PDB file of all heavy atoms in Angstrom:
ATOM      1  N   GLU A 114      71.332 136.457 171.197  1.00  0.00           N
ATOM      2  CA  GLU A 114      70.517 137.089 172.251  1.00  0.00           C
ATOM      3  C   GLU A 114      69.456 136.121 172.745  1.00  0.00           C
ATOM      4  O   GLU A 114      69.001 135.254 171.998  1.00  0.00           O
ATOM      5  CB  GLU A 114      69.799 138.323 171.659  1.00  0.00           C
ATOM      6  CG  GLU A 114      70.436 139.654 172.011  1.00  0.00           C
ATOM      7  CD  GLU A 114      70.096 140.144 173.408  1.00  0.00           C
ATOM      8  OE1 GLU A 114      69.986 139.330 174.345  1.00  0.00           O
ATOM      9  OE2 GLU A 114      69.947 141.365 173.570  1.00  0.00           O
ATOM     10  N   ASP A 115      69.025 136.317 173.983  1.00  0.00           N
ATOM     11  CA  ASP A 115      67.903 135.539 174.505  1.00  0.00           C
ATOM     12  C   ASP A 115      66.578 136.050 173.935  1.00  0.00           C
ATOM     13  O   ASP A 115      65.762 135.292 173.438  1.00  0.00           O
ATOM     14  CB  ASP A 115      67.883 135.601 176.040  1.00  0.00           C
ATOM     15  CG  ASP A 115      67.979 137.027 176.589  1.00  0.00           C
ATOM     16  OD1 ASP A 115      68.150 137.993 175.808  1.00  0.00           O
ATOM     17  OD2 ASP A 115      67.884 137.190 177.825  1.00  0.00           O
ATOM     18  N   ILE A 116      66.397 137.374 173.989  1.00  0.00           N
ATOM     19  CA  ILE A 116      65.105 137.929 173.580  1.00  0.00           C
ATOM     20  C   ILE A 116      65.283 139.338 173.032  1.00  0.00           C
ATOM     21  O   ILE A 116      66.102 140.110 173.547  1.00  0.00           O
ATOM     22  CB  ILE A 116      64.118 137.912 174.787  1.00  0.00           C
ATOM     23  CG1 ILE A 116      62.721 138.400 174.377  1.00  0.00           C
ATOM     24  CG2 ILE A 116      64.625 138.704 175.970  1.00  0.00           C
ATOM     25  CD1 ILE A 116      61.639 138.032 175.379  1.00  0.00           C
ATOM     26  N   VAL A 117      64.562 139.635 171.967  1.00  0.00           N
ATOM     27  CA  VAL A 117      64.538 141.002 171.440  1.00  0.00           C
ATOM     28  C   VAL A 117      63.187 141.600 171.788  1.00  0.00           C
ATOM     29  O   VAL A 117      62.140 141.071 171.410  1.00  0.00           O
ATOM     30  CB  VAL A 117      64.789 141.022 169.917  1.00  0.00           C
ATOM     31  CG1 VAL A 117      64.601 142.420 169.360  1.00  0.00           C
ATOM     32  CG2 VAL A 117      66.200 140.527 169.621  1.00  0.00           C
ATOM     33  N   ASP A 118      63.263 142.705 172.535  1.00  0.00           N
ATOM     34  CA  ASP A 118      62.064 143.357 173.065  1.00  0.00           C
ATOM     35  C   ASP A 118      61.864 144.658 172.283  1.00  0.00           C
ATOM     36  O   ASP A 118      61.266 144.662 171.218  1.00  0.00           O
ATOM     37  CB  ASP A 118      62.315 143.561 174.564  1.00  0.00           C
ATOM     38  CG  ASP A 118      61.146 144.104 175.329  1.00  0.00           C
ATOM     39  OD1 ASP A 118      60.018 143.652 175.088  1.00  0.00           O
ATOM     40  OD2 ASP A 118      61.341 144.998 176.172  1.00  0.00           O
ATOM     41  N   THR A 119      62.443 145.771 172.743  1.00  0.00           N
ATOM     42  CA  THR A 119      62.337 147.028 171.986  1.00  0.00           C
ATOM     43  C   THR A 119      63.246 147.011 170.757  1.00  0.00           C
ATOM     44  O   THR A 119      63.020 147.764 169.804  1.00  0.00           O
ATOM     45  CB  THR A 119      62.758 148.234 172.843  1.00  0.00           C
ATOM     46  OG1 THR A 119      64.135 148.068 173.218  1.00  0.00           O
ATOM     47  CG2 THR A 119      61.887 148.367 174.092  1.00  0.00           C
ATOM     48  N   GLY A 120      64.309 146.208 170.793  1.00  0.00           N
ATOM     49  CA  GLY A 120      65.273 146.146 169.694  1.00  0.00           C
ATOM     50  C   GLY A 120      66.500 147.015 169.934  1.00  0.00           C
ATOM     51  O   GLY A 120      67.474 146.927 169.182  1.00  0.00           O
ATOM     52  N   HIS A 121      66.492 147.834 171.000  1.00  0.00           N
ATOM     53  CA  HIS A 121      67.616 148.758 171.226  1.00  0.00           C
ATOM     54  C   HIS A 121      68.935 148.021 171.451  1.00  0.00           C
ATOM     55  O   HIS A 121      69.968 148.424 170.926  1.00  0.00           O
ATOM     56  CB  HIS A 121      67.337 149.670 172.429  1.00  0.00           C
ATOM     57  CG  HIS A 121      66.273 150.682 172.162  1.00  0.00           C
ATOM     58  ND1 HIS A 121      66.351 151.585 171.128  1.00  0.00           N
ATOM     59  CD2 HIS A 121      65.093 150.922 172.776  1.00  0.00           C
ATOM     60  CE1 HIS A 121      65.269 152.346 171.120  1.00  0.00           C
ATOM     61  NE2 HIS A 121      64.483 151.953 172.098  1.00  0.00           N
ATOM     62  N   THR A 122      68.901 146.941 172.248  1.00  0.00           N
ATOM     63  CA  THR A 122      70.153 146.247 172.580  1.00  0.00           C
ATOM     64  C   THR A 122      70.813 145.680 171.323  1.00  0.00           C
ATOM     65  O   THR A 122      71.993 145.933 171.061  1.00  0.00           O
ATOM     66  CB  THR A 122      69.888 145.094 173.586  1.00  0.00           C
ATOM     67  OG1 THR A 122      69.204 145.635 174.708  1.00  0.00           O
ATOM     68  CG2 THR A 122      71.176 144.434 174.025  1.00  0.00           C
ATOM     69  N   LEU A 123      70.038 144.943 170.543  1.00  0.00           N
ATOM     70  CA  LEU A 123      70.633 144.294 169.372  1.00  0.00           C
ATOM     71  C   LEU A 123      71.049 145.321 168.314  1.00  0.00           C
ATOM     72  O   LEU A 123      72.093 145.165 167.672  1.00  0.00           O
ATOM     73  CB  LEU A 123      69.647 143.272 168.798  1.00  0.00           C
ATOM     74  CG  LEU A 123      70.278 142.098 168.081  1.00  0.00           C
ATOM     75  CD1 LEU A 123      71.361 141.432 168.915  1.00  0.00           C
ATOM     76  CD2 LEU A 123      69.226 141.071 167.685  1.00  0.00           C
ATOM     77  N   THR A 140      72.556 138.280 163.327  1.00  0.00           N
ATOM     78  CA  THR A 140      71.947 138.172 164.656  1.00  0.00           C
ATOM     79  C   THR A 140      71.141 136.879 164.777  1.00  0.00           C
ATOM     80  O   THR A 140      70.545 136.404 163.812  1.00  0.00           O
ATOM     81  CB  THR A 140      70.993 139.358 164.909  1.00  0.00           C
ATOM     82  OG1 THR A 140      69.929 139.297 163.960  1.00  0.00           O
ATOM     83  CG2 THR A 140      71.708 140.689 164.802  1.00  0.00           C
ATOM     84  N   CYS A 141      71.147 136.355 165.996  1.00  0.00           N
ATOM     85  CA  CYS A 141      70.364 135.155 166.296  1.00  0.00           C
ATOM     86  C   CYS A 141      69.696 135.390 167.642  1.00  0.00           C
ATOM     87  O   CYS A 141      70.379 135.700 168.627  1.00  0.00           O
ATOM     88  CB  CYS A 141      71.312 133.957 166.381  1.00  0.00           C
ATOM     89  SG  CYS A 141      70.489 132.443 166.900  1.00  0.00           S
ATOM     90  N   THR A 142      68.388 135.304 167.670  1.00  0.00           N
ATOM     91  CA  THR A 142      67.696 135.464 168.950  1.00  0.00           C
ATOM     92  C   THR A 142      66.704 134.331 169.130  1.00  0.00           C
ATOM     93  O   THR A 142      66.063 133.901 168.170  1.00  0.00           O
ATOM     94  CB  THR A 142      66.998 136.837 169.067  1.00  0.00           C
ATOM     95  OG1 THR A 142      66.402 136.941 170.361  1.00  0.00           O
ATOM     96  CG2 THR A 142      65.912 137.035 168.024  1.00  0.00           C
ATOM     97  N   LEU A 143      66.611 133.847 170.353  1.00  0.00           N
ATOM     98  CA  LEU A 143      65.656 132.764 170.604  1.00  0.00           C
ATOM     99  C   LEU A 143      64.226 133.296 170.528  1.00  0.00           C
ATOM    100  O   LEU A 143      63.358 132.664 169.945  1.00  0.00           O
ATOM    101  CB  LEU A 143      65.924 132.143 171.987  1.00  0.00           C
ATOM    102  CG  LEU A 143      64.994 130.981 172.329  1.00  0.00           C
ATOM    103  CD1 LEU A 143      65.234 129.795 171.398  1.00  0.00           C
ATOM    104  CD2 LEU A 143      65.168 130.561 173.779  1.00  0.00           C
ATOM    105  N   LEU A 144      63.997 134.482 171.128  1.00  0.00           N
ATOM    106  CA  LEU A 144      62.629 135.004 171.225  1.00  0.00           C
ATOM    107  C   LEU A 144      62.542 136.428 170.690  1.00  0.00           C
ATOM    108  O   LEU A 144      63.507 137.193 170.778  1.00  0.00           O
ATOM    109  CB  LEU A 144      62.172 135.014 172.697  1.00  0.00           C
ATOM    110  CG  LEU A 144      62.268 133.698 173.465  1.00  0.00           C
ATOM    111  CD1 LEU A 144      61.951 133.923 174.943  1.00  0.00           C
ATOM    112  CD2 LEU A 144      61.323 132.657 172.876  1.00  0.00           C
ATOM    113  N   HIS A 145      61.362 136.767 170.183  1.00  0.00           N
ATOM    114  CA  HIS A 145      61.128 138.134 169.698  1.00  0.00           C
ATOM    115  C   HIS A 145      59.712 138.530 170.069  1.00  0.00           C
ATOM    116  O   HIS A 145      58.776 137.766 169.874  1.00  0.00           O
ATOM    117  CB  HIS A 145      61.294 138.171 168.173  1.00  0.00           C
ATOM    118  CG  HIS A 145      61.068 139.515 167.574  1.00  0.00           C
ATOM    119  ND1 HIS A 145      60.456 139.703 166.357  1.00  0.00           N
ATOM    120  CD2 HIS A 145      61.355 140.764 168.034  1.00  0.00           C
ATOM    121  CE1 HIS A 145      60.393 140.990 166.076  1.00  0.00           C
ATOM    122  NE2 HIS A 145      60.931 141.653 167.082  1.00  0.00           N
ATOM    123  N   LYS A 146      59.594 139.768 170.625  1.00  0.00           N
ATOM    124  CA  LYS A 146      58.262 140.315 170.938  1.00  0.00           C
ATOM    125  C   LYS A 146      57.982 141.455 169.954  1.00  0.00           C
ATOM    126  O   LYS A 146      58.302 142.613 170.244  1.00  0.00           O
ATOM    127  CB  LYS A 146      58.257 140.925 172.341  1.00  0.00           C
ATOM    128  CG  LYS A 146      58.370 139.964 173.493  1.00  0.00           C
ATOM    129  CD  LYS A 146      58.213 140.787 174.787  1.00  0.00           C
ATOM    130  CE  LYS A 146      58.769 140.098 175.979  1.00  0.00           C
ATOM    131  NZ  LYS A 146      58.808 140.968 177.170  1.00  0.00           N
ATOM    132  N   PRO A 147      57.421 141.162 168.789  1.00  0.00           N
ATOM    133  CA  PRO A 147      57.251 142.208 167.762  1.00  0.00           C
ATOM    134  C   PRO A 147      56.363 143.369 168.224  1.00  0.00           C
ATOM    135  O   PRO A 147      56.560 144.501 167.770  1.00  0.00           O
ATOM    136  CB  PRO A 147      56.625 141.461 166.579  1.00  0.00           C
ATOM    137  CG  PRO A 147      56.249 140.124 167.066  1.00  0.00           C
ATOM    138  CD  PRO A 147      56.962 139.835 168.335  1.00  0.00           C
ATOM    139  N   ARG A 149      56.482 145.015 170.781  1.00  0.00           N
ATOM    140  CA  ARG A 149      57.222 145.976 171.603  1.00  0.00           C
ATOM    141  C   ARG A 149      58.276 146.751 170.801  1.00  0.00           C
ATOM    142  O   ARG A 149      58.998 147.578 171.353  1.00  0.00           O
ATOM    143  CB  ARG A 149      57.926 145.220 172.731  1.00  0.00           C
ATOM    144  CG  ARG A 149      56.974 144.518 173.673  1.00  0.00           C
ATOM    145  CD  ARG A 149      56.763 145.299 174.923  1.00  0.00           C
ATOM    146  NE  ARG A 149      58.037 145.691 175.508  1.00  0.00           N
ATOM    147  CZ  ARG A 149      58.212 146.733 176.317  1.00  0.00           C
ATOM    148  NH1 ARG A 149      57.192 147.510 176.616  1.00  0.00           N
ATOM    149  NH2 ARG A 149      59.397 147.015 176.808  1.00  0.00           N
ATOM    150  N   THR A 150      58.363 146.494 169.496  1.00  0.00           N
ATOM    151  CA  THR A 150      59.452 147.063 168.693  1.00  0.00           C
ATOM    152  C   THR A 150      59.477 148.588 168.723  1.00  0.00           C
ATOM    153  O   THR A 150      58.464 149.240 168.482  1.00  0.00           O
ATOM    154  CB  THR A 150      59.335 146.601 167.221  1.00  0.00           C
ATOM    155  OG1 THR A 150      59.357 145.187 167.196  1.00  0.00           O
ATOM    156  CG2 THR A 150      60.482 147.145 166.367  1.00  0.00           C
ATOM    157  N   GLN A 152      62.850 149.873 167.747  1.00  0.00           N
ATOM    158  CA  GLN A 152      63.932 150.000 166.779  1.00  0.00           C
ATOM    159  C   GLN A 152      64.011 148.709 165.965  1.00  0.00           C
ATOM    160  O   GLN A 152      64.196 147.633 166.538  1.00  0.00           O
ATOM    161  CB  GLN A 152      65.247 150.241 167.526  1.00  0.00           C
ATOM    162  CG  GLN A 152      66.316 150.755 166.622  1.00  0.00           C
ATOM    163  CD  GLN A 152      67.464 151.383 167.409  1.00  0.00           C
ATOM    164  OE1 GLN A 152      67.491 151.393 168.626  1.00  0.00           O
ATOM    165  NE2 GLN A 152      68.428 151.886 166.687  1.00  0.00           N
ATOM    166  N   VAL A 154      65.502 145.856 163.751  1.00  0.00           N
ATOM    167  CA  VAL A 154      66.819 145.266 163.511  1.00  0.00           C
ATOM    168  C   VAL A 154      66.594 143.919 162.820  1.00  0.00           C
ATOM    169  O   VAL A 154      65.637 143.207 163.147  1.00  0.00           O
ATOM    170  CB  VAL A 154      67.626 145.145 164.834  1.00  0.00           C
ATOM    171  CG1 VAL A 154      66.860 144.436 165.909  1.00  0.00           C
ATOM    172  CG2 VAL A 154      68.979 144.496 164.630  1.00  0.00           C
ATOM    173  N   LEU A 156      66.592 140.249 162.126  1.00  0.00           N
ATOM    174  CA  LEU A 156      66.801 139.035 162.922  1.00  0.00           C
ATOM    175  C   LEU A 156      67.078 137.906 161.931  1.00  0.00           C
ATOM    176  O   LEU A 156      66.171 137.397 161.289  1.00  0.00           O
ATOM    177  CB  LEU A 156      65.563 138.738 163.782  1.00  0.00           C
ATOM    178  CG  LEU A 156      65.129 139.889 164.697  1.00  0.00           C
ATOM    179  CD1 LEU A 156      63.862 139.537 165.461  1.00  0.00           C
ATOM    180  CD2 LEU A 156      66.249 140.274 165.664  1.00  0.00           C
ATOM    181  N   LEU A 159      65.868 133.329 163.974  1.00  0.00           N
ATOM    182  CA  LEU A 159      64.874 133.601 165.040  1.00  0.00           C
ATOM    183  C   LEU A 159      64.215 132.298 165.477  1.00  0.00           C
ATOM    184  O   LEU A 159      63.739 131.524 164.640  1.00  0.00           O
ATOM    185  CB  LEU A 159      63.823 134.590 164.504  1.00  0.00           C
ATOM    186  CG  LEU A 159      62.544 134.759 165.335  1.00  0.00           C
ATOM    187  CD1 LEU A 159      62.859 135.314 166.715  1.00  0.00           C
ATOM    188  CD2 LEU A 159      61.553 135.669 164.613  1.00  0.00           C
ATOM    189  N   ILE A 163      56.831 135.756 170.141  1.00  0.00           N
ATOM    190  CA  ILE A 163      55.932 135.587 171.297  1.00  0.00           C
ATOM    191  C   ILE A 163      55.138 136.877 171.537  1.00  0.00           C
ATOM    192  O   ILE A 163      55.544 137.950 171.087  1.00  0.00           O
ATOM    193  CB  ILE A 163      56.712 135.201 172.592  1.00  0.00           C
ATOM    194  CG1 ILE A 163      57.732 136.294 172.975  1.00  0.00           C
ATOM    195  CG2 ILE A 163      57.388 133.848 172.440  1.00  0.00           C
ATOM    196  CD1 ILE A 163      58.244 136.171 174.401  1.00  0.00           C
TER     197      ILE A 163
END
Side-chain angles (χ1 to χ4, degrees):
E114 258 281 37
D115 50 355
I116 184 163
V117 173
D118 186 42
T119 62
H121 289 303
T122 306
L123 208 51
T140 63
C141 175
T142 183
L143 181 66
L144 306 173
H145 180 217
K146 291 185 200 171
R149 298 260 310 156
T150 302
Q152 196 163 3
V154 53
L156 305 177
L159 167 62
I163 61 164

